[in-house]
Amino acid sequence: MITTAERVPLAEFEGATGWHLRPEGACQGEICVPLPAGVHDGATIDVAAAAERLRMPVVHDAVRGLTAIGPAGVGGHRLETAVAPDLVLPDLDGALFDLAWLRGQKVLIVSWAPY
């Protein structure tokens, strides 16, 4: 989401981020994050305060007066559990590598595509 305003209409925030405000807080599917008082007033939402609470990266360009927020660290495009699905891929030498061999360890998967 990119905006020039500190507060934006709730509908704009919800449409751009996928988070919907409910009485229990900001929700995406089964995940709900309580929001502190003052973050929203029923009509608008404080973009920076909501982004901080939802662990969304924030970049502000003071020269242009733009604020951009990225995808949330809770919910969003990540695994909903701490268990990765079964995944078998070739390594750099062409040998098959089964991700399950690393079960019980923290794993970072970096992928790249030429398009």
Side-chain angles (χ1 to χ4, degrees), residues 71-96:
V74 292
H77 303 290
R78 65 173 181 86
L79 296 174
E80 294 297 326
T81 69
V83 178
D86 290 333
L87 182 65
V88 179
L89 295 171
D91 65 14
L92 294 175
D93 297 320
L96 292 180

Side-chain angles (χ1 to χ4, degrees), residues 32 50 60 82 102 111:
C32 288
H60 182 69
L102 301 175
S111 63

Side-chain angles (χ1 to χ4, degrees), residues 16-107:
T17 65
W19 288 91
H20 300 280
L21 268 63
R22 298 184 187 153
E24 56 268 35
C27 300
Q28 232 183 21
E30 297 293 318
I31 299 170
C32 288
V33 177
L35 296 176
V39 172
H40 70 91
D41 59 14
T44 64
I45 189 164
D46 180 323
V47 175
E52 179 181 340
R53 184 71 175 148
L54 296 170
R55 295 188 209 155
M56 302 168 93
V58 179
V59 177
H60 182 69
D61 182 342
V63 173
R64 292 175 179 82
L66 296 174
T67 299
I69 59 173
V74 292
H77 303 290
R78 65 173 181 86
L79 296 174
E80 294 297 326
T81 69
V83 178
D86 290 333
L87 182 65
V88 179
L89 295 171
D91 65 14
L92 294 175
D93 297 320
L96 292 180
F97 179 83
D98 188 345
L99 187 62
W101 296 337
L102 301 175
R103 190 147 335 264
Q105 301 178 47
K106 291 183 180 180
V107 176

